[in-house]
Amino acid sequence: MLFSLLVGWMTPYSGTIGARVAELEPGWCQVTLRDRRRVRNHLASVHAMAVANLAEMASGLAVLVGLPPGVQGIVTGFSISYVKKARGLLTAECRATGLDVTAEQEYEAAVAITDVQDDVVARATARWRLRPIPRR
């Protein structure tokens, strides 16, 4: 829980949804979001942008923790498809492979968001620009 709070402090916008990092290792992240009033919409389900934020957070952690030293990344695009209403505890998972970056490149990280029945509620793709950090 403390780690999740630190992530929210370092990235204030992402911290607003109150997601929890359940698992994190290089190239792999699982983040959960509790269904509660502050993330709901007028249809009594989790707001679309809260789901997107959760997906972006999972992508960001999986990719950035998986990058070798001396490499940086930034999101340059994001797409999401909503499959069903998001209700209950949500889990976003992202596995990022092939992150041995030696020159600037584009990278797409897929994220699946599921509910407690293990039904997919959304699928997202974050497009990253990865590159070795320029020498100053």
Side-chain angles (χ1 to χ4, degrees):
M1 178 159 144
L2 180 59
F3 181 77
S4 298
L5 291 172
L6 287 171
V7 169
W9 181 78
M10 293 188 67
T11 55
Y13 179 76
S14 293
T16 63
I17 64 169
R20 299 256 171 103
V21 179
E23 294 181 29
L24 179 63
E25 59 187 58
W28 165 253
C29 184
Q30 183 184 75
V31 184
T32 61
L33 178 65
R34 288 185 311 113
D35 182 349
R36 58 199 189 288
R37 188 179 191 310
R38 73 185 284 188
V39 296
R40 282 193 156 214
N41 60 24
H42 65 289
L43 300 173
S45 59
V46 178
H47 195 283
M49 290 301 104
V51 175
N53 192 326
L54 183 68
E56 194 276 336
M57 185 176 184
S59 165
L61 288 169
V63 170
L64 295 175
V65 171
L67 290 175
V71 175
Q72 63 186 9
I74 188 166
V75 173
T76 60
F78 185 85
S79 65
I80 188 163
S81 296
Y82 300 97
V83 179
K84 68 178 267 193
K85 285 186 181 176
R87 292 193 169 122
L89 181 71
L90 302 179
T91 302
E93 296 180 340
C94 180
R95 181 163 309 279
T97 60
L99 295 173
D100 298 323
V101 177
T102 58
E104 185 169 316
Q105 68 182 58
E106 295 293 314
Y107 182 83
E108 289 192 348
V111 182
I113 301 95
T114 55
D115 60 17
V116 292
Q117 289 81 32
D118 209 28
D119 291 338
V120 173
V121 298
R123 293 186 189 283
T125 302
R127 189 173 53 256
W128 288 80
R129 178 174 299 125
L130 306 175
R131 68 178 186 162
I133 297 172
R135 294 184 184 204
R136 297 184 192 250

